[in-house]
Amino acid sequence: MTKHEKELQDKIAEQISELIHENIDIDLKVLRFIREDFDRFVELARKKELSYLSLIPIALGGIKKALVKDGRLGAQKIRELLDRSETEMRNRDESRNET
């Protein structure tokens, strides 16, 4: 992982940590982040000459890092949330390409 990819992953983890800090609906917060706040990270990736598709595993790593650090979800729940997050990000990419 390059320095820029690591920086993006850490920034995503930090933002997810802030979102889920005091919230019971962790999975809804993560999906809302992808739907509403993720564009900022897409723009940062573009500036670092990273493609949207290369940002997906970086983002998933950041989300995982935040969820593991938070410690309220078990491994199976984290896996399920990461799968849903990946699907949501890939769907966003497909809808961006259709426009």
Side-chain angles (χ1 to χ4, degrees), residues 30-46:
V30 171
L31 295 176
R32 185 179 300 150
F33 161 77
I34 294 167
R35 291 181 185 136
E36 298 175 4
D37 301 328
F38 194 59
D39 288 336
R40 183 173 77 114
F41 293 97
V42 172
E43 196 55 43
L44 285 172
R46 247 189 231 128

Side-chain angles (χ1 to χ4, degrees), residues 4-96:
H4 299 300
E5 292 170 339
K6 175 90 170 90
E7 288 171 357
L8 280 171
Q9 187 177 71
D10 289 345
K11 286 179 184 180
I12 290 169
E14 183 178 316
Q15 186 164 352
I16 293 293
S17 291
E18 290 172 10
L19 287 173
I20 65 174
H21 178 65
E22 293 181 11
N23 198 298
I24 296 171
D25 298 326
I26 293 171
D27 51 344
L28 296 176
K29 282 290 190 179
V30 171
L31 295 176
R32 185 179 300 150
F33 161 77
I34 294 167
R35 291 181 185 136
E36 298 175 4
D37 301 328
F38 194 59
D39 288 336
R40 183 173 77 114
F41 293 97
V42 172
E43 196 55 43
L44 285 172
R46 247 189 231 128
K47 288 178 183 176
K48 304 292 184 184
E49 299 180 359
L50 297 171
S51 71
Y52 183 86
L53 290 178
S54 68
L55 179 59
I56 291 174
I58 295 167
L60 291 172
I63 293 168
K64 179 180 177 185
K65 184 184 243 183
L67 294 173
V68 169
K69 183 178 178 184
D70 180 68
R72 286 185 280 170
L73 299 179
Q76 181 63 30
K77 183 71 174 173
I78 290 173
R79 247 189 316 277
E80 291 169 5
L81 184 50
L82 290 174
D83 287 345
R84 283 198 312 265
S85 298
E86 181 177 12
T87 299
E88 184 69 27
M89 284 186 264
R90 290 192 184 282
N91 288 342
R92 279 179 51 103
D93 184 50
E94 288 172 10
S95 67
R96 288 167 18 108

